Coordinates of all heavy atoms in Angstrom, one line a residue:
M384 N -53.2 33.1 -2.1 CA -52.2 32.8 -1.2 C -50.8 32.9 -1.9 O -50.7 32.4 -3.0 CB -52.3 31.3 -0.7 CG -52.3 31.3 0.7 SD -52.7 29.9 1.6 CE -52.4 28.4 1.2
S385 N -49.9 33.5 -1.3 CA -48.6 33.6 -1.9 C -47.5 32.9 -1.2 O -47.6 32.8 0.1 CB -48.2 35.1 -2.1 OG -48.0 35.6 -0.8
D386 N -46.6 32.4 -1.9 CA -45.5 31.6 -1.2 C -44.3 32.6 -1.1 O -43.7 33.0 -2.1 CB -45.1 30.4 -2.1 CG -44.1 29.5 -1.4 OD1 -43.7 29.8 -0.3 OD2 -43.6 28.6 -2.1
T387 N -43.8 32.9 0.1 CA -42.7 33.8 0.3 C -41.4 33.1 0.7 O -40.4 33.8 0.9 CB -43.1 34.8 1.4 OG1 -43.4 34.1 2.6 CG2 -44.3 35.7 1.0
T388 N -41.4 31.8 0.7 CA -40.2 31.1 1.1 C -39.3 31.0 -0.2 O -39.7 30.9 -1.3 CB -40.4 29.7 1.6 OG1 -41.1 28.9 0.6 CG2 -41.3 29.7 2.8
H389 N -38.0 31.1 0.1 CA -37.0 31.0 -1.0 C -36.4 29.6 -1.0 O -36.2 29.0 0.0 CB -35.9 32.1 -0.8 CG -36.3 33.5 -0.9 ND1 -36.7 34.1 -2.0 CD2 -36.6 34.4 0.1 CE1 -37.0 35.3 -1.8 NE2 -37.0 35.5 -0.4
S390 N -36.1 29.2 -2.2 CA -35.4 27.8 -2.3 C -34.0 28.0 -1.8 O -33.4 29.1 -1.8 CB -35.5 27.3 -3.7 OG -34.7 28.1 -4.5
S391 N -33.4 26.9 -1.5 CA -32.0 26.9 -1.0 C -31.0 27.4 -2.1 O -30.0 28.0 -1.8 CB -31.6 25.5 -0.5 OG -31.6 24.6 -1.5
S392 N -31.3 27.1 -3.4 CA -30.4 27.6 -4.4 C -30.5 29.1 -4.5 O -29.5 29.7 -4.9 CB -30.8 26.9 -5.8 OG -32.1 27.3 -6.1
D393 N -31.6 29.7 -4.3 CA -31.7 31.2 -4.3 C -30.9 31.8 -3.1 O -30.2 32.8 -3.3 CB -33.2 31.7 -4.1 CG -34.0 31.4 -5.4 OD1 -33.4 31.2 -6.4 OD2 -35.2 31.3 -5.2
A394 N -30.9 31.1 -2.0 CA -30.1 31.6 -0.8 C -28.6 31.5 -1.1 O -27.9 32.4 -0.7 CB -30.5 30.9 0.4
T395 N -28.2 30.5 -1.7 CA -26.7 30.3 -1.9 C -26.3 31.2 -3.1 O -25.1 31.5 -3.2 CB -26.3 28.8 -2.1 OG1 -27.1 28.3 -3.2 CG2 -26.6 28.0 -0.9
A396 N -27.1 31.5 -4.0 CA -26.8 32.3 -5.1 C -26.4 33.7 -4.7 O -25.6 34.4 -5.4 CB -27.9 32.3 -6.2
D397 N -27.0 34.2 -3.6 CA -26.7 35.5 -3.1 C -25.4 35.6 -2.4 O -24.9 36.7 -2.1 CB -27.8 36.0 -2.2 CG -29.1 36.2 -3.0 OD1 -29.1 36.3 -4.2 OD2 -30.2 36.1 -2.4
Q398 N -24.8 34.5 -1.9 CA -23.6 34.5 -1.2 C -22.4 34.4 -2.1 O -22.4 33.7 -3.1 CB -23.6 33.3 -0.2 CG -24.7 33.3 0.8 CD -24.7 32.0 1.6 OE1 -23.9 31.1 1.4 NE2 -25.6 31.9 2.6
P399 N -21.3 35.2 -1.8 CA -20.2 35.2 -2.6 C -19.4 33.8 -2.5 O -19.5 33.2 -1.5 CB -19.3 36.3 -2.1 CG -19.8 36.5 -0.7 CD -21.2 36.1 -0.7
T400 N -18.8 33.4 -3.6 CA -18.1 32.2 -3.6 C -16.6 32.4 -3.3 O -16.0 33.3 -3.9 CB -18.2 31.5 -5.0 OG1 -19.5 31.3 -5.3 CG2 -17.5 30.1 -5.0
E401 N -16.0 31.7 -2.4 CA -14.6 31.9 -2.0 C -13.8 30.8 -2.7 O -14.1 29.6 -2.7 CB -14.4 31.7 -0.5 CG -13.0 31.9 -0.1 CD -12.8 31.8 1.4 OE1 -13.8 31.9 2.2 OE2 -11.7 31.5 1.9
T402 N -12.8 31.2 -3.4 CA -11.9 30.3 -4.1 C -10.6 30.1 -3.3 O -10.0 31.1 -2.9 CB -11.5 30.8 -5.5 OG1 -12.7 31.1 -6.2 CG2 -10.6 29.9 -6.2
Q403 N -10.3 28.8 -3.1 CA -9.0 28.5 -2.3 C -8.1 27.8 -3.3 O -8.5 26.9 -4.0 CB -9.3 27.7 -1.1 CG -10.2 28.4 -0.1 CD -10.5 27.5 1.1 OE1 -10.0 26.4 1.2 NE2 -11.1 28.1 2.1
H404 N -6.8 28.1 -3.2 CA -5.8 27.5 -4.0 C -5.0 26.6 -3.1 O -4.5 27.1 -2.1 CB -5.0 28.5 -4.8 CG -5.7 29.3 -5.8 ND1 -6.1 28.8 -7.0 CD2 -6.3 30.5 -5.7 CE1 -6.8 29.7 -7.6 NE2 -6.9 30.8 -6.9
V405 N -4.8 25.4 -3.4 CA -3.9 24.5 -2.6 C -2.7 24.1 -3.5 O -2.9 23.6 -4.6 CB -4.7 23.2 -2.2 CG1 -3.9 22.3 -1.4 CG2 -6.0 23.7 -1.4
E406 N -1.6 24.2 -2.9 CA -0.4 23.8 -3.6 C 0.2 22.6 -2.9 O 0.4 22.6 -1.7 CB 0.7 25.0 -3.6 CG 1.9 24.6 -4.4 CD 2.9 25.8 -4.4 OE1 2.5 27.0 -4.3 OE2 4.1 25.5 -4.5
R407 N 0.5 21.6 -3.6 CA 1.0 20.3 -3.1 C 2.5 20.2 -3.4 O 2.8 20.3 -4.6 CB 0.2 19.1 -3.6 CG 0.8 17.8 -3.0 CD 0.1 16.7 -3.5 NE 0.8 15.5 -3.2 CZ 0.5 14.3 -3.5 NH1 -0.6 14.1 -4.2 NH2 1.2 13.2 -3.1
T408 N 3.3 20.0 -2.4 CA 4.7 19.8 -2.7 C 5.1 18.5 -2.0 O 4.8 18.3 -0.8 CB 5.5 21.0 -2.2 OG1 5.3 21.1 -0.8 CG2 5.2 22.2 -2.9
D409 N 5.7 17.6 -2.7 CA 6.3 16.4 -2.2 C 7.8 16.6 -2.0 O 8.5 16.9 -2.9 CB 6.0 15.2 -3.1 CG 4.6 14.8 -3.2 OD1 3.9 15.0 -2.1 OD2 4.1 14.4 -4.2
V410 N 8.2 16.5 -0.8 CA 9.6 16.7 -0.5 C 10.3 15.3 -0.2 O 9.7 14.5 0.5 CB 9.8 17.6 0.7 CG1 11.3 17.8 1.1 CG2 9.1 18.9 0.5
G411 N 11.4 15.0 -0.8 CA 12.1 13.8 -0.5 C 12.1 12.8 -1.6 O 11.9 13.1 -2.8
V412 N 12.4 11.6 -1.2 CA 12.6 10.5 -2.1 C 11.7 9.3 -1.7 O 11.5 9.1 -0.6 CB 14.1 10.0 -2.0 CG1 14.4 8.9 -3.0 CG2 15.1 11.2 -2.4
S413 N 11.3 8.6 -2.7 CA 10.5 7.4 -2.5 C 11.1 6.3 -3.4 O 11.3 6.5 -4.5 CB 9.0 7.7 -3.0 OG 8.3 6.5 -2.9
I414 N 11.3 5.1 -2.7 CA 11.8 4.0 -3.4 C 10.9 2.8 -3.2 O 10.4 2.6 -2.0 CB 13.2 3.6 -2.9 CG1 14.2 4.7 -3.1 CG2 13.7 2.3 -3.6 CD1 15.6 4.5 -2.6
T415 N 10.5 2.1 -4.2 CA 9.6 0.9 -4.1 C 10.4 -0.3 -4.6 O 11.1 -0.2 -5.7 CB 8.4 1.1 -5.0 OG1 7.7 2.3 -4.5 CG2 7.4 -0.1 -4.8
V416 N 10.3 -1.4 -3.9 CA 10.9 -2.7 -4.4 C 9.8 -3.7 -4.4 O 8.9 -3.8 -3.5 CB 12.0 -3.1 -3.5 CG1 11.6 -3.4 -2.1 CG2 12.7 -4.3 -4.0
Q417 N 9.8 -4.6 -5.4 CA 8.8 -5.7 -5.5 C 9.6 -7.0 -5.8 O 10.4 -7.0 -6.7 CB 7.8 -5.4 -6.6 CG 6.8 -6.5 -6.8 CD 5.7 -6.2 -7.7 OE1 5.4 -5.0 -8.0 NE2 5.0 -7.2 -8.3
L418 N 9.3 -8.0 -5.0 CA 9.9 -9.3 -5.1 C 8.9 -10.2 -5.7 O 7.7 -10.2 -5.2 CB 10.4 -9.8 -3.8 CG 11.4 -9.0 -3.0 CD1 11.7 -9.6 -1.7 CD2 12.7 -8.8 -3.8
K419 N 9.2 -11.0 -6.7 CA 8.3 -11.9 -7.3 C 9.0 -13.2 -7.6 O 10.1 -13.3 -8.1 CB 7.8 -11.3 -8.7 CG 6.8 -12.2 -9.4 CD 6.3 -11.6 -10.6 CE 5.4 -12.5 -11.4 NZ 5.1 -12.0 -12.7
R420 N 8.3 -14.3 -7.2 CA 8.8 -15.6 -7.4 C 7.8 -16.5 -8.0 O 6.6 -16.4 -7.7 CB 9.2 -16.3 -6.0 CG 9.8 -17.7 -6.2 CD 10.1 -18.3 -4.8 NE 8.9 -18.7 -4.2 CZ 8.3 -19.9 -4.3 NH1 8.8 -20.8 -5.1 NH2 7.2 -20.1 -3.7
G421 N 8.1 -17.2 -9.0 CA 7.2 -18.0 -9.8 C 6.6 -17.3 -10.9 O 6.7 -16.1 -11.0
S422 N 5.9 -18.0 -11.8 CA 5.3 -17.4 -12.9 C 3.8 -17.8 -13.2 O 3.1 -17.1 -13.9 CB 6.1 -17.6 -14.2 OG 6.2 -19.0 -14.4
G423 N 3.4 -18.9 -12.6 CA 2.0 -19.3 -12.7 C 1.1 -18.7 -11.8 O 1.5 -18.1 -10.7
T424 N -0.2 -18.7 -12.1 CA -1.2 -18.1 -11.3 C -1.2 -18.7 -9.9 O -1.3 -17.9 -8.9 CB -2.6 -18.2 -11.9 OG1 -2.5 -17.7 -13.2 CG2 -3.7 -17.6 -11.1
R425 N -1.1 -20.0 -9.8 CA -1.1 -20.6 -8.5 C 0.3 -20.9 -7.9 O 0.4 -21.5 -6.9 CB -1.9 -21.9 -8.6 CG -3.3 -21.7 -8.9 CD -4.0 -23.0 -9.1 NE -5.4 -22.8 -9.7 CZ -6.5 -22.9 -9.0 NH1 -6.4 -23.1 -7.7 NH2 -7.6 -22.7 -9.5
D426 N 1.3 -20.5 -8.6 CA 2.7 -20.7 -8.2 C 3.4 -19.4 -8.3 O 4.5 -19.2 -8.9 CB 3.4 -21.7 -9.1 CG 4.8 -22.0 -8.7 OD1 5.1 -22.0 -7.5 OD2 5.6 -22.3 -9.5
E427 N 2.9 -18.4 -7.6 CA 3.5 -17.1 -7.6 C 3.4 -16.4 -6.3 O 2.4 -16.4 -5.6 CB 2.7 -16.2 -8.7 CG 3.3 -14.9 -9.0 CD 2.6 -14.2 -10.1 OE1 1.5 -13.6 -9.8 OE2 3.0 -14.3 -11.3
D428 N 4.5 -15.8 -5.9 CA 4.5 -15.0 -4.6 C 5.0 -13.6 -5.0 O 5.9 -13.4 -5.7 CB 5.6 -15.6 -3.6 CG 5.2 -17.0 -3.2 OD1 4.0 -17.3 -3.1 OD2 6.2 -17.8 -3.0
K429 N 4.3 -12.6 -4.4 CA 4.7 -11.2 -4.6 C 4.7 -10.5 -3.3 O 3.8 -10.7 -2.5 CB 3.6 -10.5 -5.5 CG 3.6 -10.8 -7.0 CD 2.7 -9.9 -7.7 CE 2.5 -10.3 -9.1 NZ 1.6 -9.5 -9.8
I430 N 5.8 -9.8 -3.1 CA 5.9 -9.0 -1.9 C 6.4 -7.6 -2.3 O 7.3 -7.5 -3.1 CB 6.9 -9.6 -0.9 CG1 6.5 -11.0 -0.5 CG2 7.1 -8.7 0.3 CD1 7.5 -11.7 0.4
K431 N 5.7 -6.6 -1.9 CA 6.1 -5.2 -2.3 C 6.3 -4.3 -1.1 O 5.6 -4.4 -0.1 CB 4.9 -4.6 -3.1 CG 5.2 -3.3 -3.7 CD 4.0 -2.9 -4.6 CE 4.2 -1.6 -5.3 NZ 3.1 -1.3 -6.2
G432 N 7.3 -3.5 -1.1 CA 7.6 -2.6 0.0 C 8.0 -1.2 -0.6 O 8.5 -1.1 -1.7
K433 N 7.8 -0.2 0.3 CA 8.1 1.2 -0.2 C 8.7 1.9 1.0 O 8.2 1.8 2.1 CB 6.8 1.8 -0.7 CG 7.0 3.2 -1.2 CD 5.7 3.7 -1.8 CE 5.8 5.1 -2.4 NZ 4.6 5.5 -3.1
V434 N 9.7 2.8 0.7 CA 10.2 3.6 1.8 C 10.2 5.1 1.2 O 10.3 5.3 0.0 CB 11.7 3.3 2.1 CG1 11.7 1.9 2.8 CG2 12.6 3.4 1.0
K435 N 10.0 6.0 2.2 CA 10.1 7.4 1.9 C 11.0 8.1 2.9 O 11.0 7.7 4.0 CB 8.7 8.1 2.0 CG 7.7 7.6 1.0 CD 6.4 8.4 1.2 CE 5.4 7.9 0.1 NZ 4.1 8.7 0.2
A436 N 11.8 9.0 2.4 CA 12.8 9.7 3.2 C 13.1 11.1 2.6 O 12.7 11.3 1.5 CB 14.1 8.9 3.3
E437 N 13.7 11.9 3.4 CA 14.0 13.3 2.9 C 15.1 13.3 2.0 O 15.2 14.2 1.1 CB 14.2 14.2 4.1 CG 13.0 14.5 4.9 CD 13.2 15.5 6.0 OE1 14.2 16.3 5.9 OE2 12.4 15.6 6.9
T438 N 16.1 12.4 2.1 CA 17.2 12.4 1.2 C 17.4 11.0 0.6 O 16.9 10.0 1.1 CB 18.5 12.7 2.0 OG1 18.8 11.7 2.9 CG2 18.4 14.1 2.7
L439 N 18.2 10.9 -0.5 CA 18.4 9.6 -1.2 C 19.2 8.7 -0.2 O 19.0 7.5 -0.2 CB 19.2 9.9 -2.5 CG 19.5 8.6 -3.3 CD1 18.3 7.8 -3.6 CD2 20.3 9.0 -4.5
A440 N 20.2 9.3 0.5 CA 21.0 8.5 1.4 C 20.1 7.8 2.5 O 20.3 6.6 2.8 CB 22.1 9.3 2.0
D441 N 19.2 8.6 3.0 CA 18.3 8.1 4.0 C 17.4 7.0 3.4 O 17.1 6.0 4.1 CB 17.4 9.2 4.7 CG 18.2 10.1 5.5 OD1 19.4 9.7 6.0 OD2 17.7 11.2 5.8
A442 N 16.9 7.2 2.2 CA 16.0 6.3 1.6 C 16.8 5.0 1.3 O 16.2 3.9 1.5 CB 15.5 6.8 0.3
R443 N 18.0 5.1 0.9 CA 18.8 3.8 0.6 C 19.0 3.1 1.9 O 19.0 1.8 1.9 CB 20.2 4.2 0.0 CG 20.1 4.6 -1.4 CD 21.4 4.9 -2.0 NE 21.4 5.2 -3.4 CZ 22.3 5.7 -4.1 NH1 23.5 6.0 -3.5 NH2 22.2 5.9 -5.4
E444 N 19.3 3.8 3.0 CA 19.5 3.1 4.3 C 18.2 2.4 4.7 O 18.3 1.2 5.1 CB 19.9 4.2 5.3 CG 20.3 3.6 6.7 CD 20.7 4.7 7.7 OE1 21.5 5.6 7.2 OE2 20.3 4.6 8.8
D445 N 17.1 3.1 4.6 CA 15.8 2.5 5.0 C 15.5 1.3 4.0 O 14.9 0.3 4.5 CB 14.7 3.5 4.9 CG 14.8 4.6 6.0 OD1 15.6 4.4 6.9 OD2 14.1 5.6 5.8
M446 N 15.9 1.4 2.8 CA 15.6 0.3 1.8 C 16.4 -0.9 2.1 O 15.9 -2.0 2.0 CB 15.9 0.8 0.4 CG 15.6 -0.3 -0.7 SD 14.0 -1.0 -0.6 CE 13.0 0.4 -1.2
D447 N 17.7 -0.7 2.6 CA 18.5 -1.9 3.0 C 17.8 -2.6 4.2 O 17.8 -3.8 4.2 CB 19.9 -1.4 3.4 CG 20.7 -1.0 2.2 OD1 20.4 -1.4 1.0 OD2 21.7 -0.2 2.4
I448 N 17.3 -1.9 5.1 CA 16.6 -2.5 6.2 C 15.3 -3.2 5.7 O 15.0 -4.3 6.1 CB 16.2 -1.4 7.3 CG1 17.5 -0.9 7.9 CG2 15.3 -2.0 8.4 CD1 17.3 0.4 8.7
L449 N 14.6 -2.5 4.9 CA 13.3 -3.1 4.3 C 13.6 -4.4 3.5 O 12.9 -5.4 3.6 CB 12.6 -2.1 3.5 CG 11.3 -2.6 2.9 CD1 10.3 -3.0 3.9 CD2 10.7 -1.5 2.0
R450 N 14.7 -4.3 2.7 CA 15.0 -5.4 1.9 C 15.4 -6.7 2.7 O 14.9 -7.8 2.4 CB 16.2 -5.1 1.0 CG 16.5 -6.2 0.0 CD 17.7 -5.9 -0.9 NE 17.5 -4.6 -1.7 CZ 18.2 -3.5 -1.6 NH1 19.2 -3.5 -0.8 NH2 18.0 -2.5 -2.4
E451 N 16.1 -6.5 3.8 CA 16.4 -7.6 4.7 C 15.1 -8.2 5.3 O 14.9 -9.4 5.4 CB 17.3 -7.2 5.9 CG 18.7 -7.0 5.4 CD 19.6 -6.6 6.6 OE1 19.4 -7.0 7.7 OE2 20.6 -5.8 6.3
Y452 N 14.2 -7.3 5.7 CA 12.9 -7.7 6.3 C 12.1 -8.5 5.2 O 11.6 -9.6 5.5 CB 12.1 -6.5 6.8 CG 10.7 -6.9 7.1 CD1 10.4 -7.6 8.3 CD2 9.6 -6.6 6.3 CE1 9.1 -8.0 8.6 CE2 8.3 -6.9 6.6 CZ 8.1 -7.6 7.8 OH 6.8 -8.0 8.1
L453 N 12.0 -8.0 4.0 CA 11.3 -8.7 2.9 C 11.9 -10.0 2.6 O 11.2 -11.0 2.3 CB 11.2 -7.8 1.7 CG 10.4 -6.5 1.8 CD1 10.4 -5.7 0.5 CD2 8.9 -6.8 2.2
H454 N 13.2 -10.1 2.6 CA 13.9 -11.4 2.4 C 13.5 -12.4 3.4 O 13.2 -13.5 3.1 CB 15.4 -11.2 2.4 CG 16.2 -12.3 1.9 ND1 16.6 -13.3 2.7 CD2 16.6 -12.7 0.6 CE1 17.2 -14.3 2.1 NE2 17.2 -13.9 0.8
R455 N 13.5 -12.0 4.7 CA 13.1 -13.0 5.7 C 11.6 -13.3 5.6 O 11.3 -14.5 5.8 CB 13.4 -12.3 7.1 CG 14.8 -12.3 7.5 CD 15.0 -12.0 9.0 NE 14.3 -10.8 9.4 CZ 14.7 -9.5 9.4 NH1 15.9 -9.3 9.0 NH2 14.0 -8.6 9.9
L456 N 10.8 -12.4 5.3 CA 9.4 -12.6 5.1 C 9.2 -13.6 3.9 O 8.4 -14.5 4.0 CB 8.6 -11.3 4.8 CG 7.1 -11.4 4.6 CD1 6.5 -12.0 5.9 CD2 6.6 -10.0 4.3
A457 N 9.9 -13.4 2.8 CA 9.8 -14.3 1.6 C 10.2 -15.7 2.0 O 9.6 -16.7 1.6 CB 10.6 -13.7 0.5
D458 N 11.3 -15.8 2.8 CA 11.7 -17.2 3.2 C 10.6 -17.8 4.0 O 10.3 -19.0 3.8 CB 13.0 -17.1 4.0 CG 14.2 -16.8 3.2 OD1 14.2 -17.1 2.0 OD2 15.3 -16.4 3.8
D459 N 10.0 -17.1 4.9 CA 8.9 -17.7 5.7 C 7.7 -18.1 4.8 O 7.1 -19.1 5.0 CB 8.4 -16.6 6.8 CG 9.4 -16.4 7.9 OD1 10.3 -17.3 8.0 OD2 9.3 -15.5 8.6
V460 N 7.4 -17.2 3.9 CA 6.2 -17.5 3.0 C 6.5 -18.8 2.1 O 5.6 -19.6 1.9 CB 5.9 -16.3 2.1 CG1 4.9 -16.6 1.0 CG2 5.4 -15.1 2.9
R461 N 7.7 -18.9 1.7 CA 8.1 -20.1 0.9 C 7.9 -21.4 1.6 O 7.7 -22.4 1.0 CB 9.5 -20.0 0.3 CG 9.6 -19.0 -0.8 CD 11.0 -19.0 -1.3 NE 11.3 -17.8 -2.0 CZ 12.1 -16.8 -1.7 NH1 12.9 -17.0 -0.6 NH2 12.2 -15.7 -2.4
Q462 N 8.0 -21.3 2.9 CA 7.9 -22.6 3.8 C 6.4 -23.0 3.8 O 6.1 -24.1 4.2 CB 8.4 -22.3 5.2 CG 9.9 -21.9 5.2 CD 10.7 -22.9 4.5 OE1 10.6 -24.1 4.7 NE2 11.7 -22.5 3.7
I463 N 5.5 -22.1 3.5 CA 4.1 -22.5 3.6 C 3.7 -23.1 2.2 O 3.7 -22.5 1.2 CB 3.2 -21.2 3.8 CG1 3.6 -20.5 5.1 CG2 1.7 -21.6 3.8 CD1 2.9 -19.1 5.2
Q464 N 3.4 -24.4 2.3 CA 3.1 -25.2 1.1 C 1.7 -25.7 1.3 O 1.3 -26.1 2.4 CB 4.1 -26.3 0.9 CG 5.5 -25.8 0.6 CD 5.6 -25.0 -0.7 OE1 4.9 -25.3 -1.6 NE2 6.5 -24.0 -0.6
P465 N 0.9 -25.8 0.2 CA -0.4 -26.3 0.3 C -0.4 -27.8 0.6 O 0.6 -28.5 0.2 CB -1.0 -26.1 -1.1 CG 0.1 -25.9 -2.0 CD 1.2 -25.3 -1.2
E466 N -1.3 -28.3 1.4 CA -1.3 -29.7 1.8 C -1.8 -30.5 0.6 O -2.8 -30.1 -0.1 CB -2.2 -29.9 3.0 CG -1.7 -29.2 4.2 CD -2.6 -29.5 5.5 OE1 -3.4 -30.4 5.4 OE2 -2.4 -28.8 6.4
V467 N -1.2 -31.6 0.4 CA -1.6 -32.5 -0.7 C -2.6 -33.5 -0.1 O -2.3 -34.2 0.9 CB -0.4 -33.2 -1.3 CG1 -0.9 -34.2 -2.4 CG2 0.6 -32.2 -1.9
E468 N -3.8 -33.6 -0.7 CA -4.8 -34.5 -0.2 C -4.5 -35.9 -0.8 O -4.1 -36.1 -1.9 CB -6.2 -34.1 -0.7 CG -6.6 -32.8 -0.1 CD -8.0 -32.4 -0.5 OE1 -8.8 -33.3 -0.9 OE2 -8.3 -31.2 -0.5
D469 N -4.6 -36.9 0.1 CA -4.5 -38.3 -0.3 C -5.7 -38.7 -1.0 O -6.8 -38.4 -0.7 CB -4.3 -39.2 1.0 CG -3.0 -38.9 1.7 OD1 -2.0 -38.5 1.0 OD2 -2.9 -39.1 2.9
E470 N -5.5 -39.5 -2.1 CA -6.6 -40.0 -2.9 C -7.0 -41.4 -2.5 O -6.4 -42.2 -2.0 CB -6.3 -40.0 -4.4 CG -6.1 -38.6 -4.9 CD -5.8 -38.5 -6.3 OE1 -6.4 -39.3 -7.1 OE2 -4.9 -37.8 -6.8

């Protein structure tokens, strides 16, 4: 008895391999801001924001809007205090 089936590696070895080249281009500007309050592990708040735009002027404008939002968010977060349990 003879085995006439080919393994899948034999079948793919006969097929030509196509090489594709991909070129990545990032256009524009990216600005990241991180706000940090406190220094202890349990007494620390971090808020991070990032904007992307085609030009530096647009990124600065978006960052001003984001900064105002993060400032309001940080104020809200500071109001949240852990409850102290009565002993």
Side-chain angles (χ1 to χ4, degrees):
M384 232 172 33
S385 66
D386 185 7
T387 58
T388 60
H389 297 284
S390 69
S391 62
S392 62
D393 290 340
T395 56
D397 295 336
Q398 297 175 357
T400 303
E401 181 180 340
T402 302
Q403 295 181 358
H404 297 280
V405 177
E406 182 178 334
R407 178 180 170 183
T408 57
D409 291 329
V410 178
V412 178
S413 172
I414 300 175
T415 302
V416 64
Q417 180 172 335
L418 304 174
K419 181 179 173 185
R420 183 183 71 89
S422 58
T424 303
R425 296 175 189 259
D426 182 32
E427 186 175 84
D428 299 323
K429 287 184 186 180
I430 300 174
K431 187 175 182 178
K433 183 175 186 176
V434 296
K435 291 183 180 183
E437 289 189 19
T438 66
L439 180 57
D441 290 342
R443 284 181 176 169
E444 186 178 319
D445 291 347
M446 180 54 69
D447 289 339
I448 294 167
L449 179 62
R450 188 180 299 119
E451 286 182 33
Y452 170 75
L453 292 178
H454 188 271
R455 287 192 310 270
L456 182 61
D458 283 342
D459 289 345
V460 169
R461 286 186 200 114
Q462 300 305 314
I463 302 170
Q464 297 297 325
E466 293 182 17
V467 178
E468 294 182 23
D469 294 330
E470 292 183 41

